[in-house]
Amino acid sequence: MLNWRLVLVLFVGIALRLSLVGIGLTPVFMNRLEVSTPVTSLPLVIEGAVRTMSLQTGTNGSTFYDPYRGGDALHQPPLVMLPFLVLSKFMESHHVVDIARELNKIVLSWTTALVFASLDAIIAILLFQIISIRQAKTPDTLSPRTPLLVAAFYLINPLSVVSCVGLSLSVIHSFWMALTLINLVRGNALSSGGCLAVCSYLSPHSLLLLPFAILMLVEHEGQMATVGRVKQAVAACSGFLLVLLFVLHLSVLVSQSTSFLREVFLFAIQVKDNVPGLNIYWYTNLLMFDEFEGCFVFLFQFQMLAFAPGFIASSLR
């Protein structure tokens, strides 16, 4: 049955985003540090694609230039860069002179805006379905209006609106995270593990959610036999490992090297590119002496892992 209230909420959310794009706020938000970080910046991906298409002539002929070699220039996975590599190759075959300028035109086009707005709308629909499933299981704790309110709050949330209009890559990660959650609440172990693998590929910190995903799947089985719970856990881990190895293999084929592992995954832990921002991490790290930087980074990253045992213990009660 079509939910006209949800359709109205989706229409308002998409219209809000496209209206902001129409008045020319996309370049403004793309240059804001709150939206365009080293790991969510779309212009950096375009720059990496253009650099990759720049050919180096050596003794063995022409080879692709590796954008991950040469400092903190690119921290996005190769598969995120793949669409722009294909476009760059197509433009090069048609003898386009300024490929970077043409790619920027495509990024700032209405097509790209519609793609990001559609992703946000799909995320809202998935959130609506997730809360609806939970509400059906626990009708006494959640109001029937809760699913619609969650979808509406997501679509009018200033951060989600600015991220979408500013073409932040965090929208793509949120999309895969919503797919992970919808599969978890439905009890699809293999699919949820695969979606979580893509989330971890886009943002390595998502790996910490794997134990909680397994616990949710086990809880979904209720009073099922222990064998059934073990099968759910094995299926989730298998889906996670298979998809993660698959996307990593594709990444090696695209980048023709393994240097992206250091610049994408280790960067998320080491955080060498200290771009100024409004977050407490940058401000605190700025006050640190250089000799204590390693200790600070370790403690900052360890704090996320430190919460995991407590949550897992409380879930097992």
Side-chain angles (χ1 to χ4, degrees):
M1 182 178 179
L2 185 62
N3 192 322
W4 290 105
R5 292 182 179 180
L6 178 61
V7 173
L8 178 61
V9 168
L10 295 175
F11 176 78
V12 172
I14 294 176
L16 174 61
R17 285 156 173 77
L18 295 182
S19 61
L20 295 177
V21 173
I23 61 178
L25 289 181
T26 297
V28 176
F29 291 151
M30 287 181 68
N31 294 323
R32 295 295 303 178
L33 297 173
E34 300 86 349
V35 178
S36 184
T37 67
V39 295
T40 62
S41 175
L42 190 56
L44 291 180
V45 177
I46 297 176
E47 180 183 348
V50 174
R51 292 172 59 192
T52 303
M53 292 305 299
S54 300
L55 294 176
Q56 283 185 327
T57 303
T59 57
N60 297 327
S62 296
T63 58
F64 283 118
Y65 176 75
D66 188 359
Y68 296 99
R69 295 183 184 273
D72 295 320
L74 184 64
H75 301 294
Q76 290 80 15
L79 293 186
V80 176
M81 189 173 52
L82 181 59
F84 299 99
L85 287 175
V86 175
L87 289 174
S88 300
K89 189 66 176 179
F90 176 79
M91 294 178 185
E92 185 184 44
S93 64
H94 286 72
H95 307 289
V96 176
V97 178
D98 195 346
I99 296 179
R101 184 167 62 89
E102 295 300 323
L103 287 177
N104 284 320
K105 285 184 179 180
I106 295 176
V107 167
L108 297 177
S109 65
W110 281 101
T111 302
T112 307
L114 285 172
V115 169
F116 273 77
S118 300
L119 284 177
D120 256 356
I122 295 174
I123 294 172
I125 295 174
L126 292 174
L127 292 176
F128 178 86
Q129 294 177 350
I130 292 169
I131 303 302
S132 297
I133 294 174
R134 301 299 293 182
Q135 192 271 335
K137 293 181 178 179
T138 56
D140 297 334
T141 58
L142 294 176
S143 169
R145 297 181 179 180
T146 303
L148 185 64
L149 290 176
V150 171
F153 285 155
Y154 174 80
L155 288 175
I156 64 175
N157 183 3
L159 181 59
S160 63
V161 173
V162 171
S163 298
C164 179
V165 177
L167 306 181
S168 172
L169 296 178
S170 62
V171 176
I172 301 177
H173 179 264
S174 299
F175 168 74
W176 282 101
M177 184 58 68
L179 284 178
T180 302
L181 293 176
I182 189 67
N183 281 286
L184 283 176
V185 297
R186 289 176 176 175
N188 300 328
L190 197 63
S191 301
S192 60
C195 292
L196 185 58
V198 178
C199 291
S200 302
Y201 175 76
L202 297 172
S203 178
H205 290 111
S206 302
L207 176 63
L208 295 175
L209 297 177
L210 183 59
F212 304 104
I214 295 175
L215 287 175
M216 286 188 64
L217 291 170
V218 171
E219 180 186 2
H220 184 270
E221 296 300 325
Q223 301 299 325
M224 191 176 180
T226 305
V227 177
R229 297 184 177 185
V230 173
K231 286 183 178 180
Q232 286 287 83
V234 171
C237 293
S238 300
F240 180 87
L241 291 176
L242 289 175
V243 174
L244 185 60
L245 291 176
F246 177 72
V247 294
L248 288 178
H249 177 67
L250 289 181
S251 299
V252 173
L253 295 178
V254 170
S255 63
Q256 300 183 7
S257 71
T258 57
S259 57
F260 72 91
L261 295 173
R262 179 184 65 256
E263 295 299 330
V264 175
F265 298 104
L266 285 184
F267 171 79
I269 301 175
Q270 297 174 349
V271 198
K272 294 180 180 179
D273 192 354
N274 225 358
V275 176
L278 299 180
N279 54 76
I280 191 173
Y281 174 87
W282 175 81
Y283 179 75
T284 309
N285 194 19
L286 184 66
L287 300 177
M288 287 287 166
F289 293 106
D290 292 339
E291 55 266 28
F292 299 119
E293 183 176 1
C295 179
F296 166 74
V297 172
F298 171 78
L299 293 176
F300 186 85
Q301 299 291 357
F302 182 76
Q303 65 159 337
M304 292 185 292
L305 186 61
F307 290 110
F311 283 117
I312 294 176
S314 61
S315 301
L316 293 176
R317 290 180 179 178

